[in-house]
């Protein structure tokens, strides 16, 4: 969350855009941080002319272009990239598993009728394992969907997020960001605050010394 604050994002864009690979990996491997994906996608788009790799291209293909074939191809490339990355080599399996989850979720949400064989092919999975995995996905993500095993399809029912839920998602990080901004404003507006406090602490001591000298 800290790296997604405006001044950190600005630094990443100007000085170290390669950090985006690790931000993407952190968000994808931890589904609890999925609410940060929207801001991350914007940053990837802004830096795409300077830096790209299969990890960032996977996100761009999935969330910007909605090109699922390209996203699936980039996901395969991500495996080799992460295996050769010293800091991410231990997270390859988690990344691939969760990346499949994100890909399948987006695919299901924008299609009315889904061919499970076609989706499992995009996920680079065996048909039998793919069907079980898709059913598990629907249960975990609580999608309003109906699985037809005879036809090998998933039928999605149209659903919309309530207005209050949209407001909650959009304002989720505002409290944290507001606190950080307030603390930075206080530091910038009161640079001599500590010095003033020290001087105030010294004044009573000096007064006591003068009173003691007069009494003597």
């Amino acid at each position: 969350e800290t790296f997604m604050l405006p001044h950190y994002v600005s630094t990443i864009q100007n000085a170290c855009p390669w950090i985006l690979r690790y931000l993407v990996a952190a968000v994808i491997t931890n589904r609890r941080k999925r609410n940060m994906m929207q801001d991350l996608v914007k940053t990837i788009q802004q830096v795409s002319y300077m830096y790209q790799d299969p990890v960032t291209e996977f996100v761009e293909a999935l969330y910007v272009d909605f090109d699922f074939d390209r996203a699936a191809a980039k996901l395969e490339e991500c495996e080799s990239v992460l295996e050769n990355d010293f800091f991410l080599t231990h997270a390859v399996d988690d990344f691939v598993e969760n990346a499949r989850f994100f890909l399948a979720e987006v695919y299901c949400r924008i299609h009315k009728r889904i061919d499970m064989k076609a989706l499992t092919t995009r996920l680079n999975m065996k048909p039998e394992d793919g069907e079980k995995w898709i059913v598990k996905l629907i249960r975990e993500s609580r999608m309003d969907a109906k699985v037809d095993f005879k036809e090998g399809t998933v039928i999605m029912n149209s659903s919309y997020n309530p207005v209050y839920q949209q407001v909650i998602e959009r304002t989720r990080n505002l409290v944290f960001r507001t606190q950080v901004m307030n603390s930075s404003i206080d530091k910038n507006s009161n640079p001599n605050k500590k010095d003033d406090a020290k001087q105030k602490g010294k004044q009573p001591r000096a007064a006591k010394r003068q009173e003691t000298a007069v009494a003597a």
Side-chain angles (χ1 to χ4, degrees), residues 74-164:
K74 291 300 176 181
L75 181 55
E76 291 184 8
E77 295 179 18
C78 287
E79 292 189 47
S80 60
V81 170
L82 297 182
E83 287 175 354
N84 294 313
D85 190 308
F86 177 80
F87 298 103
L88 298 175
T89 185
H90 66 283
V92 176
D93 293 337
D94 290 338
F95 181 91
V96 172
E97 178 68 17
N98 286 286
R100 284 173 176 169
F101 176 91
F102 282 102
L103 193 156
E105 184 183 37
V106 175
Y107 188 88
C108 290
R109 292 193 183 280
I110 67 173
H111 288 83
K112 179 70 175 177
R113 190 181 185 89
I114 300 159
D115 185 351
M116 287 195 287
K117 290 184 178 180
L119 181 55
T120 53
T121 300
R122 285 189 170 91
L123 297 175
N124 194 23
M125 299 176 69
K126 296 179 180 179
E128 295 179 357
D129 296 336
E131 289 182 1
K132 295 178 181 178
W133 191 88
I134 292 170
V135 172
K136 181 181 178 182
L137 165 70
I138 293 172
R139 290 175 180 173
E140 290 183 354
S141 58
R142 298 179 181 179
M143 294 182 185
D144 187 5
K146 186 177 181 180
V147 180
D148 188 345
F149 289 101
K150 292 182 179 179
E151 297 291 333
T153 59
V154 177
I155 301 173
M156 302 296 299
N157 298 321
S158 58
S159 59
Y160 302 93
N161 287 335
V163 174
Y164 72 86

Side-chain angles (χ1 to χ4, degrees), residues 186-187 189-202:
D186 290 339
K187 290 179 181 178
S189 61
N190 299 316
N192 299 322
K193 191 173 181 180
K194 293 182 179 179
D195 295 337
D196 294 341
K198 291 180 180 178
Q199 291 178 0
K200 289 180 180 179
K202 292 179 180 179

Side-chain angles (χ1 to χ4, degrees), residues 33-44:
K33 302 295 183 182
R34 61 190 302 174
N35 60 314
M36 299 172 58
M37 184 60 76
Q38 186 175 2
D39 293 334
L40 188 58
V41 170
K42 292 180 182 178
T43 304
I44 290 173

Side-chain angles (χ1 to χ4, degrees), residues 207-216:
K208 287 182 179 179
R209 291 176 181 174
Q210 290 178 359
E211 291 177 358
T212 304
V214 171

